[in-house]
Every structure is written in structure tokens, then in C-alpha cells.
Amino acid sequence: MGQRERFVIFLVGALLGVVVLLGGKSCGSEKKQQLRAVRSSLSMAPMMYDFAVMQKGFYGKYVLFEQVAEREGGAKVRTLVTGGTRRYSPEGKELPEEHILIKESYAAGVALAEAGPVASYEFTFADRIAIKLKPGHQAAEVTLQSGDVASAWSGHEESLIRLDAWRKLPGGAPWGNLETLVRELNGHPAVAEARLVRIDWRAEADLIIAHSPK
């Protein structure tokens, strides 16, 4: 089976999974709860998994920021920021919007367009930074000029600084400075390591497939 066929099968499985996750009306109560748990565990909107499977570039009105860098040899990396999937509280109230940073790598000579093909992807959250503290330091010591302060990250040894105020700076979120902000935090006296939070899109796509109709 060739790569193209595998991608088609992968895509069909993902699309079927999305249908089941969004529907599930005929499922039993236990199955519905399981599908709801899978859906809530996904980091991105279903369409993002679809275009990644098809090796397509992400274009359209949802792109909030983009820049392109050329590597030695002619390969290009397109960095963009887009909104994430909508999330709701248990009471049904819509939660604040999340943002996703995507890096699309294109081989030399490949035009940067929706059709791609994109050689590889990196997905990270654009609205939070994970911080490993140096011994003897507290999360509250790490603050940004925007007013955002690091705090405990439930279930993790690292702390987390959410860029809530940073994204609301006058003139809009300075997405082009996001990776510079991470580098600056790596120089903070209380910080051993700062990084953007990676999204394992392949593992999440596999989860969709595993809960799709057989």
C-alpha cells in the first residue's frame, strides 16, 4: 500500500471519527460518555487533523499571523497562528478562545499554497508557556510585563504561564514575538527551561481512528 493510499484511509478514519464524536445519538449512555471524553481531550479543531493528514497548508480567514523563513538549500518553514477549537464549561458556558501555532515545512521548490504538499508539521499552543523552575524558586516569581504570572500546572511538575493579558495588549497579540518571549523567559533567573506546549497531533489522530466505526 502506497503513501497516498495510507493517507486516504487515514483521512476516512478521521472523518468518520469526527462524525461519531459530534453525533453519537444512537450510542448508549456509556458510549456517549466515552466519545465525549475523547472529544474533550483533543487539542485542535477536527479540520486541522484533516489538512495535516492530507499534507495541505492551512490558509484562510482563521490565520491570524504568518511569516516564512528560508533554510539553507531552499526549504521553507511557514509559521502561522490560528484560533483553536471552541471549548465549553460543564455548565455550557463558552470558555476563552485558545490559539495554536503551526509550523509547516516545505521542501525546496515546493510552492507555499494550500495544496502543498507540506513535508512536516509542528503544532504547539500559542497561548501558554511551560516553565521548569530552578530549585528554590516559586512560579509566582515569573511574571511578564503584560501582567501574566506563572502558576502551578495541574498534573505536571512544570509550571504554566498563560498569555491571557499578553494576547490582549494594545494593537493585538504580538504573535511575531512569541518565540522571542520564550527565549527571554529562558534567561529568567528563576527559570531552568521555558518552552511552548507541544501538541502530538498524530497521537490524537490515532485516538480519533481508534474510536471510529470499524
Side-chain angles (χ1 to χ4, degrees):
M1 185 183 296
Q3 183 182 37
R4 185 181 184 87
E5 289 76 16
R6 287 198 297 272
F7 273 125
V8 170
I9 292 173
F10 189 103
L11 175 60
V12 171
L15 290 174
L16 288 173
V18 169
V19 170
V20 172
L21 292 175
L22 295 178
K25 291 183 179 180
S26 62
C27 298
S29 178
E30 183 178 341
K31 184 65 174 178
K32 285 184 179 180
Q33 290 293 336
Q34 184 183 42
L35 294 176
R36 190 176 294 112
V38 171
R39 182 176 59 188
S40 65
S41 72
L42 299 177
S43 301
M44 306 186 299
M47 65 180 294
M48 293 186 178
Y49 301 98
D50 293 345
F51 83 75
V53 168
M54 293 186 291
Q55 294 180 280
K56 294 174 63 176
F58 193 70
Y59 290 82
K61 63 181 182 180
Y62 301 107
V63 175
L64 307 175
F65 164 83
E66 104 177 82
Q67 64 181 17
V68 177
E70 185 169 345
R71 292 176 174 172
E72 186 176 353
K76 293 182 174 65
V77 177
R78 177 173 174 257
T79 300
L80 59 129
V81 174
T82 182
T85 186
R86 290 183 176 180
R87 296 189 181 277
Y88 300 86
S89 70
E91 298 75 31
K93 182 180 179 181
E94 186 169 358
L95 299 173
E97 183 181 14
E98 295 183 326
H99 290 91
I100 307 294
L101 182 142
I102 307 170
K103 284 183 178 290
E104 301 174 348
S105 295
Y106 294 77
V110 174
L112 274 65
E114 184 176 352
V118 177
S120 64
Y121 302 88
E122 292 178 30
F123 292 88
T124 57
F125 285 104
D127 55 16
R128 68 203 69 175
I129 301 172
I131 295 171
K132 181 179 180 181
L133 296 166
K134 292 179 179 178
H137 291 275
Q138 304 296 320
E141 297 177 47
V142 185
T143 63
L144 302 180
Q145 290 185 350
S146 60
D148 294 304
V149 182
S151 59
W153 186 7
S154 179
H156 296 78
E157 293 184 358
E158 295 170 293
S159 299
L160 197 68
I161 183 163
R162 293 188 177 272
L163 305 178
D164 296 332
W166 186 88
R167 287 183 290 163
K168 297 176 182 177
L169 289 171
W175 297 118
N177 297 330
L178 178 59
E179 292 178 292
T180 299
L181 177 61
V182 175
R183 288 194 294 270
E184 290 174 350
L185 283 170
N186 272 295
H188 192 285
V191 175
E193 181 187 8
R195 62 177 179 84
L196 293 175
V197 178
R198 178 176 172 268
I199 299 171
D200 189 343
W201 75 271
R202 292 186 181 276
E204 295 192 5
D206 288 343
L207 186 63
I208 294 173
I209 292 175
H211 291 80
S212 300
K214 298 298 188 291

